[in-house]
Amino acid sequence: ACQCILEEPSLLLEPCFALLGRTVVLVPLGVGLLWLLSCGRRQPAAGDDAELMDHGSLRDMASTHFLDFDRTECAILVYYVSMMVWVLELCHAVSVFAVAYTVERWYFKARKTGEGVPCCGLCEAYCVCFEHHFGTLALGSLAIAATRFIRIPLGVMSRAMASGEDSNPVSECLGFCCCCCVCFFTRYLECMTKNAYIDTALCANGFCEAGRHAAEVFAHESVAEAALNTATPMLQLSGMGGISAAGGLLTMALARSWPMFRDPTSERYVEDPTVVAAVAAVICFLLAWPFLHIFDTVSDTILYCLATEEMRAPPEEDDEEETTGYCFSGVCWGKRSESERLLK
């Protein structure tokens, strides 16, 4: 993943593009939400004199309900907020697709054939996204946003059942009581993840088909996926923690060593460098998070490309162990998977 980011430097621009896009979208949406909230009627609380409405006193401000809406206005507000959530989820989907498309182009073209990568592969990814796959991403973002609060508890329940189905009485009880819900989650909701966008970028499948196909591909590398899902957050947290600590320590050292900051007679004298260092650490953390966040998508996409390549590879005749081959949903492959190498 680090090699991909270094050889495809346009990926470092993705956080900037994502921030710009979200800003362009959120500003008008926020203004529209404020306009809707301004429709609320000011009414005095129960037991207060209505004449207080004519005065601008603090008692009037404290005894007034500012957000009093009727049912129609409440329905409009709920609809508007739902559309905001959908639009933000769509922005995230576009970002994931752009990163996945760029990484897949690097993996199968630059890494395999040795051809040079385009100067701005990320821009090409955005063009492909808006020209060919924007409807798929819109449907996927709507489905993911609408089912998120259902998928989270069902996913926890499904993992609890899978981890202790033989020896854990609680898991057995959950299996008997909620087997229908877990089956519904496994069949329809488990594949509704950002991995579907990775498959769309490579195979140009629709969202539902892409989600199922991505689940099949990652099932081929289940052990490697579990290891990746453990190592990637640790790497991200260690990176953000190291950058935050470095920024805070550097600010502390500058505040205590430069005369303009440590001299009490200076206009820029810092009385308590600890507070300034803490603020600098928080700012460094917020600045580092978007750039390390793409590392998760890059690593998942590379694992997906590796699994896809192994599934499509023909059996090797000179290796008896690999000529056995495997088949999954009509797709056969013969090379030993990354998960098998990890297990061995």
Side-chain angles (χ1 to χ4, degrees):
C2 294
Q3 180 185 358
C4 174
I5 295 175
L6 292 176
E7 294 183 2
E8 186 63 61
S10 63
L11 288 173
L12 298 176
L13 298 176
E14 197 280 330
C16 302
F17 290 159
L19 177 61
L20 179 61
R22 285 169 172 80
T23 302
V24 172
V25 169
L26 276 178
V27 169
L29 288 178
V31 173
L33 181 61
L34 292 178
W35 283 349
L36 287 177
L37 293 176
S38 65
C39 296
R41 291 166 295 280
R42 297 180 58 188
Q43 295 181 358
D48 290 336
D49 189 358
E51 294 181 356
L52 291 175
M53 298 294 296
D54 298 331
H55 304 281
S57 61
L58 293 177
R59 184 182 176 184
D60 178 26
M61 300 289 290
S63 61
T64 302
H65 299 292
F66 290 95
L67 302 179
D68 187 17
F69 304 98
D70 56 26
R71 293 184 177 179
T72 304
E73 293 169 343
C74 290
I76 294 175
L77 280 172
V78 171
Y79 172 78
Y80 190 86
V81 173
S82 302
M83 292 299 102
M84 289 184 64
V85 174
W86 182 16
V87 171
L88 291 178
E89 189 70 34
L90 179 58
C91 293
H92 176 68
V94 171
S95 298
V96 173
F97 178 90
V99 173
Y101 183 90
T102 307
V103 174
E104 289 164 356
R105 183 181 177 88
W106 168 84
Y107 184 90
F108 288 107
K109 187 175 183 180
R111 183 173 178 270
K112 292 297 181 181
T113 64
E115 299 181 11
V117 296
C119 59
C120 192
L122 191 66
C123 297
E124 180 182 353
Y126 278 113
C127 293
V128 172
C129 172
F130 289 113
E131 184 177 357
H132 299 287
H133 302 291
F134 191 74
T136 300
L137 301 186
L139 175 61
S141 58
L142 177 61
I144 291 176
T147 60
R148 174 172 286 114
F149 294 103
I150 303 176
R151 289 185 294 107
I152 292 176
L154 290 181
V156 173
M157 191 182 305
S158 176
R159 287 190 294 269
M161 291 175 55
S163 61
E165 56 183 3
D166 297 331
S167 59
N168 193 337
V170 178
S171 301
E172 295 179 1
C173 182
L174 288 175
F176 284 113
C177 298
C178 307
C179 59
C180 295
C181 297
V182 173
C183 291
F184 176 79
F185 168 79
T186 305
R187 181 174 297 182
Y188 298 107
L189 301 181
E190 190 176 17
C191 60
M192 292 185 181
T193 61
K194 68 180 182 67
N195 295 334
Y197 306 139
I198 299 176
D199 183 83
T200 299
L202 181 62
C203 303
N205 292 323
F207 176 73
C208 297
E209 183 181 355
R212 289 190 292 266
H213 185 254
E216 294 175 0
V217 173
F218 278 106
H220 176 54
E221 298 287 354
S222 57
V223 177
E225 183 185 11
L228 184 65
N229 292 336
T230 303
T232 302
M234 295 178 59
L235 179 62
Q236 290 175 318
L237 289 176
S238 60
M240 290 185 289
I243 293 174
S244 301
L249 292 175
L250 180 60
T251 303
M252 177 73 74
L254 292 176
R256 290 184 175 180
S257 60
W258 281 19
M260 61 184 305
F261 296 132
R262 69 176 182 178
D263 187 3
T265 60
S266 175
E267 296 180 354
R268 300 181 180 180
Y269 170 66
V270 178
E271 183 177 358
D272 189 359
T274 305
V275 177
V276 180
V279 173
V282 172
I283 294 175
C284 291
F285 183 88
L286 295 177
L287 291 177
W289 180 79
F291 294 93
L292 288 175
H293 181 68
I294 66 172
F295 192 84
D296 182 23
T297 306
V298 171
S299 57
D300 287 342
T301 305
I302 291 178
L303 180 61
Y304 177 84
C305 295
L306 178 64
T308 302
E309 186 181 27
E310 291 175 349
M311 292 174 65
R312 294 176 177 177
E316 296 182 3
E317 299 180 356
D318 57 345
D319 193 339
E320 181 179 358
E321 181 180 358
E322 293 185 352
T323 55
T324 304
Y326 304 91
C327 291
F328 193 86
S329 296
V331 180
C332 299
W333 62 94
K335 294 179 63 178
R336 186 186 302 171
S337 66
E338 186 69 20
S339 297
E340 292 175 337
R341 287 192 287 269
L342 289 174
L343 289 175
K344 291 181 180 296

